[in-house]
Each structure stands twice: as C-alpha cells, then as structure tokens.
Amino acid sequence: MEIGITTFAETTPDVKTGKTISHAERIREVVEEIVLADQVGLDVFGVGEHHRKDYACSAPAILLAAAASKTKRIRLTSAVTVLSSDDPVRVYQDFATVDAISNGRAEIMAGRGSFIESFPLFGYDLKDYDELFNEKLELLLQINENEIVNWQGKHRPAIHNRGVYPRPVQDKLPIWIASGGTPQSVARAGILGLPLVLAIIGGSPLQFAPLVNLYKRAGKEAGHDVSKLTVASHSHGFVADTIEEAVEKFFPPTQYAMNKLGRERGWAPYTKETFDHACSLEGALYCGDPETVAEKIIFLRKNVGIERFMLHVPVGSMPHEDVMRSIELLGTEVAPFVRSEIERWEKEGGKQ
C-alpha cells in the first residue's frame, strides 16, 4: 500500500486574512512540501497542471525537477498532465529529464483535466476534447515503447523515423490514466494495461468498487496480467493532531474553494453539513487525526481495492506550516499504521 500527496499549488485568498500569496512563493512552498514528504517516508508526490490564476503550477515537470534534486526516494508525478492540450513529445522529454535528475523516480499521470482553460490557450477546439486525448495518448505510449518513432494523426504533424530523447533511467516511464470515474475511461485503462488513478472526491468511495472491477475485467479480457493492474485514488483531506483541529483548519478554506468552483459549475452550496457527511467513514473526505485518516484509508483498500492512496492537501489555500504538519503526520503516523495493517490483512488472505 503506497501513501502519498497531491497538490494543485493553490493560490486562493487566505480565508482569515484575505491575502493571497504569489505564484512564486507557492511554488517554492510546494518544493519544500515534496522534500518533507520524502523525509517522512511517503511514497509519491503529485503536482497538477492548471492554467488559471488560483493555481500556481502550469508546468509540473519543472517544479518536480526542482524537487528531484533535493529528494532521494519519493516518486514524482504529474497529477495530472493535461495531455489533450499538450504535445506528447515534449511531455515525454520533460518527464524523462525529471527521471534523469531523480535517478528513476518520475511518472506521468495523463488525463483530460477537469478545467478547460488550456484548450483556447494553446489553440485547441473543445469539440475535439475526446479525440485529442485518444490521439495524443496513443503517441505518448508509442514514444514510451520506441526510441525511433513513426506516427501519423489528425491533430499534430506526423513523425517520420525520428528519435525522441532523452530516454529515461527507468526502462519505461510509468504512465497512469487519470479518471473522474467514467466507465469508458476506466475500461480504456484496463484494455491498455495501464495503471489507473481515480479521483474520489465526492459521494461514497464504495461507489467506485464496481469501476475497479470493470477496470480489471477489461484488462483481463485484453490479455493483461490482472495482478499487475494497479489502482490509485486521489482524495481531498487534511491530517492534524486532533479531529477538532483538523476540522477547524480545513473546513473554511475547503468551503471557500469548493463554493468558488461551484459558482462556475452550477453546484449546490458547500455547507458544513456537506463537509461533515464527507468526513464520515464512507465519505470521500480524509480529514481528522492520524487514527481517523488511517482507518478510512484501510477501509478504502479493503472495500474498493485501492493500492496507492494520495491525499490532496490543501483544497483552498492554507498556511504553509499547517500543510507541512499534515504531511509530517501522514508520513510518520498514518502511513506506517496503514501499511502494517494492510500487510497483516493480506497475510490473512484478505483481498478486495
């Protein structure tokens, strides 16, 4: 069971002071957060790509490269790379470079992205949303398999017998498919034999169990070894020394961020009742003291089959020291307990 962190490098106003830190400061903070995550024994750190004012990172590979030179063990991934509006050749080159700096710890999490700002920014038409992703994923996978590439598509100039460099330290870069939970994207990951990341950020995580089964069934029918089909989750949360402290610190910025997005997307208001329900055992919010968060991760592993859990913290802007403390607790208290409990459960024959 792997445990890690994801961030979007949020730069929303502080709910207490009303002040917003600069993109530059937030990016430097994220590097410090990755270094700490490595020091406390977490397995993976993911940074999302966005192209809007309330998120600081539009180039995850560059930020991860900065952290790669300061870390020793932790795996470094995008969360996600918006592949539909990017160039697969450049994506591969960027992450192969991160792989070199980190000596074999880079990964790519490829997705469509839940935000659309990058499409007009880079000159793409949203009507090609699905076609762009499918075509560019095909090219990225081909580059990962072959040093010399021959490829032709609709949305990018053809490549005729050209090499793509540098090649990574790893034999191949791990490429994960990120999904918001649509059966089509889940099945595609299984058919391709690629690891799957599910964004479990609402409702009950138990609702995702059928999707995990679909993923593995699709993979098996495509001829892949089911034991090698890995599922990860990305879920919002925050760890503090006590449940009360976690709620007090995490609810206000989360409510602010969720309501800001909600106004853009027509969601119902995010209330304390919504928050409290999500904090229950079968809710999708991992907020509380180390014991509470650990129990929820174990519940997720046993009932949904998640083998890598990534805590997304913060959701709205929070003081850097609070985020650092959450990472410290996740690494030093939550992760060891979860790993030992899952190891014991598996030895006893447990499986999802």
Side-chain angles (χ1 to χ4, degrees), residues 5 48 84 88 95 100 122 132 134 149 155-156 164 166 185 201 209 224 228 231 247 251 254-255 286 288 290:
I5 295 284
S84 307
F95 281 88
F122 295 112
L132 280 165
N134 294 337
V149 178
H155 297 281
R156 187 202 185 281
V164 179
S185 62
I201 56 176
H224 300 293
K228 296 180 180 179
V231 185
V247 172
F251 171 68
T254 297
Q255 182 186 42
Y286 293 75

Side-chain angles (χ1 to χ4, degrees), residues 92-257:
Y92 182 87
Q93 292 173 327
D94 286 347
F95 281 88
T97 301
V98 175
D99 206 55
I101 297 168
S102 66
N103 195 25
R105 294 183 279 124
E107 301 182 1
I108 299 170
M109 193 186 296
R112 291 173 173 81
S114 63
F115 294 87
I116 60 173
E117 288 83 3
S118 63
F119 288 82
L121 185 64
F122 295 112
Y124 292 102
D125 195 324
L126 278 170
K127 70 179 177 60
D128 300 322
Y129 188 78
D130 290 324
E131 195 174 81
L132 280 165
F133 181 77
N134 294 337
E135 181 177 292
K136 293 190 175 191
L137 178 62
E138 176 191 293
L139 175 54
L140 180 63
L141 295 176
Q142 189 173 138
I143 296 169
N144 204 30
E145 292 286 338
N146 304 286
E147 180 177 334
I148 307 299
V149 178
N150 286 281
W151 179 89
Q152 187 167 351
K154 178 180 176 182
H155 297 281
R156 187 202 185 281
I159 302 174
H160 301 294
N161 203 41
R162 306 297 297 180
V164 179
Y165 306 103
R167 305 308 292 183
V169 174
Q170 300 173 85
D171 180 44
K172 296 171 189 173
L173 288 174
I175 298 174
W176 295 68
I177 298 296
S179 170
T182 64
Q184 294 85 354
S185 62
V186 165
R188 179 195 292 109
I191 291 167
L192 293 172
L194 297 175
L196 172 69
V197 184
L198 293 168
I200 304 180
I201 56 176
S204 169
L206 296 177
Q207 297 170 330
F208 287 79
L211 291 172
V212 173
N213 292 335
L214 170 63
Y215 163 68
K216 295 196 173 181
R217 186 168 67 250
K220 182 178 181 180
E221 291 173 356
H224 300 293
D225 183 350
V226 176
S227 68
K228 296 180 180 179
L229 295 176
T230 305
V231 185
S233 70
H234 144 98
S235 297
H236 298 158
F238 179 73
V239 191
D241 291 282
T242 67
I243 295 174
E244 294 75 19
E245 181 188 1
V247 172
E248 179 186 351
K249 290 184 174 180
F250 192 61
F251 171 68
T254 297
Q255 182 186 42
Y256 176 93

Side-chain angles (χ1 to χ4, degrees), residues 14 42 48 66 109 111 139 141 195 197 213 243 250 260 298 307 315 333 345:
D14 184 288
L42 291 172
M109 193 186 296
L139 175 54
L141 295 176
V197 184
N213 292 335
I243 295 174
F250 192 61
K260 185 176 186 299
I298 292 166
E307 296 160 288
V315 176
E333 296 192 28
W345 174 69

Side-chain angles (χ1 to χ4, degrees), residues 269-291:
Y270 190 88
T271 65
K272 184 62 164 54
E273 184 180 10
T274 305
F275 178 89
D276 290 341
H277 178 73
C279 286
S280 66
L281 180 62
E282 294 190 16
L285 198 59
Y286 293 75
C287 177
D289 62 9
E291 182 180 358

